[in-house]
Structure formats: structure tokens, C-alpha cells
Amino acid sequence: MSDTLKLARDGHTAILTLDNPPANTFTRDNLIALKRQVLALNADRDVYALVITGGGEKFFSAGADLKQFAGGDKALAQTLAVLFGEAFEALSAFRGLSIAAINGYAMGGGLECALACDLRIAEEQTHLALPEASVGLLPCAGGTQNLPWLVGEGWAKRMILCGERVDAATALRIGLIEQMVPAGEALTVALKLAEQAARQSPQALAACKSLIQAGRQQPIATSLIREREAFARLFDGEDQREGVNAFLEKRSPHWKNA
């Protein structure tokens, strides 16, 4: 773990806090730590959900520290681009539900981190942007690919090509976030959603998430076949029988994630 990335647990939910004041920027070390931590949580069968948030009250994350690029070091830029990509792709591939509790500014790589999550809960005072082109750069950690998927090509181009910053109300309207909440409540609401997810079969949830995300990259005819195959594979585990029998017996299921 990095000193700027904190881990906590709340039941079946892991909470990762970006804690690199003043702006919770990403560095080489905490990007490596983020990837390693997400992979470790992915291997922990007792973790069903992951919430990521920012330390303090002003920033979720401002992304990369631009001082790293002031010297024009191409090799350093390539290294950081790979680290950003690997960290956020690991986050996107997390088998359980991932939620960004956006408690302040989410700029550049900070917004890309949120885009890698399944859901985004933003506090009403937050602003979100991908301003890289205004300083001669571009979003290199999924921004040009994930943003259009959520908000459509037009709004993605407004935010990336025109450098438009959106407030939480606009982000909610265009589909960039799923919920806007009062200041100070993003983490609480995210944890409640994570608790809802923990009531689902973790195996079924992981299968559903994988199918939904695969739909971005393959034709629907292929996806429909894989959906039926995934349904049948659930019968290889114990949780399918537990879930159905718990419903019939009018009790809560006890998932084994096996």
C-alpha cells in the first residue's frame, strides 16, 4: 500500500480513500498501489463491493500532478500512461460492484478513475472535467473511450474537445453520474448501495457485470449466447441453490461465494 492510498473495510465492502493532499493527485507509487490493492481485493472472496473516494472535503482527485510533465520527458509520460491505464483497467475489471463516491473536484485522471467504476455518486458541490487538451495533453486512462459510452459522443466532445467543466446537476442530467447528493453524503450513500449489492449473490453479480461490460465490445448475437451460457454456469456453484431455496423458504440467503 502507498501512504496516499488508504484501505478500510465495512462488512463485505472495501473502501479505498485517495489521500494525497491537497488535491489527491495520482503518482507512480499510488497508481501501482491501486492496481495491486484492487487485484488483492478481487482475490478476496469475502469482498463483494468496492467504494473509492477522496480524502478531505474539496477534491475527489485532480488526476496527475502536472509538474511531472513540465520537463517534456516522453519516457516518463509513457510510463505514467501505462500505470494509469493498468490501474484503472484493474478497477474496471473488479468482479464486484465498484462505486465512486465523488466528494469534490474530479478532474482529468480523477474523473477517469470514477469512469472506471460501475456507479458514480457525486455531491452537489462537485465539478467534473477532462481538461487535458487545454495543457497540450489528452485523457490517457480511458477517458476518450469510457466517457462517450456514458454521455454520448456529443457531450464527450464538449467535455474533451472544448474543455467544458460540468457541475453535479449537469452530470446527473447527461448520465455522467447516477445520483447527486448533499455535501458530505457521497460516501454514506455509496456504502448503502454497496450494502444492497452485498445482498445479491456475488457470483450472479459478477456474471451480470461481466456480461453488461462485454456488450460494449461484441455483437448482441454473441452476447445473448454468452448470457445463456453464464446462466447455466451458475448451477455449478452452491449459491444458486442457496438463493432459490432461501426465497422458497422465506428467509435471507447465506452466500458462500462458491
Side-chain angles (χ1 to χ4, degrees):
M1 288 291 288
S2 164
D3 290 340
T4 58
L5 184 67
K6 311 297 186 185
L7 173 66
R9 291 281 290 267
D10 181 9
H12 292 292
T13 301
I15 305 165
L16 287 175
T17 301
L18 304 171
D19 189 19
N20 188 22
N24 296 330
T25 49
F26 285 103
T27 66
R28 180 184 182 277
D29 287 346
N30 63 16
L31 286 168
I32 292 171
L34 177 59
K35 177 185 175 181
R36 288 177 177 170
Q37 189 58 67
V38 172
L39 292 176
L41 293 171
N42 219 23
D44 186 341
R45 307 303 289 180
D46 195 47
V47 173
Y48 298 170
L50 169 61
V51 173
I52 186 163
T53 193
E57 299 179 355
K58 187 174 182 180
F59 283 93
F60 173 74
S61 172
D65 186 344
L66 289 181
K67 293 177 183 176
Q68 300 173 97
F69 306 128
D73 188 331
K74 183 177 179 180
L76 173 62
Q78 288 177 322
T79 297
L80 286 172
V82 169
L83 292 176
F84 265 105
E86 290 180 348
F88 295 168
E89 285 165 26
L91 180 58
S92 180
F94 175 70
R95 57 176 163 69
L97 176 69
S98 58
I99 307 172
I102 305 172
N103 58 311
Y105 286 96
M107 316 296 284
L111 179 53
E112 289 179 296
C113 178
L115 290 172
C117 295
D118 299 314
L119 300 176
R120 284 148 295 279
I121 310 300
E123 295 177 6
E124 59 191 2
Q125 81 280 8
T126 62
H127 286 80
L128 307 95
L130 291 178
E132 285 87 346
S134 68
V135 294
L137 302 172
L138 61 80
C140 68
T144 64
Q145 304 305 301
N146 292 329
L147 185 61
W149 183 259
L150 287 174
V151 304
E153 186 175 311
W155 266 103
K157 286 179 176 176
R158 283 183 67 157
M159 292 183 67
I160 296 173
L161 305 186
C162 301
E164 186 160 343
R165 179 186 298 188
V166 299
D167 59 20
T170 302
L172 180 63
R173 178 168 57 84
I174 66 178
L176 178 52
I177 63 174
E178 282 68 48
Q179 188 173 353
M180 180 176 68
V181 299
E185 294 188 13
L187 181 58
T188 299
V189 173
L191 289 173
K192 288 180 179 178
L193 279 171
E195 184 180 352
Q196 287 179 229
R199 298 185 196 130
Q200 311 280 74
S201 158
Q203 290 190 328
L205 187 152
C208 290
K209 174 176 173 174
S210 177
L211 288 164
I212 292 169
Q213 295 191 170
R216 301 184 186 187
Q217 302 168 337
Q218 61 194 25
I220 189 169
T222 301
S223 296
L224 290 171
I225 293 171
R226 292 186 175 179
E227 185 181 65
R228 294 190 290 269
E229 293 172 344
F231 175 81
R233 281 196 301 273
L234 291 174
F235 285 74
D236 294 333
E238 297 181 31
D239 281 354
Q240 172 275 320
R241 289 185 294 277
E242 169 61 14
V244 172
N245 283 291
F247 175 81
L248 295 174
E249 295 165 9
K250 296 182 174 56
R251 60 175 175 81
S252 297
H254 300 287
W255 307 121
K256 296 183 179 179
N257 198 13

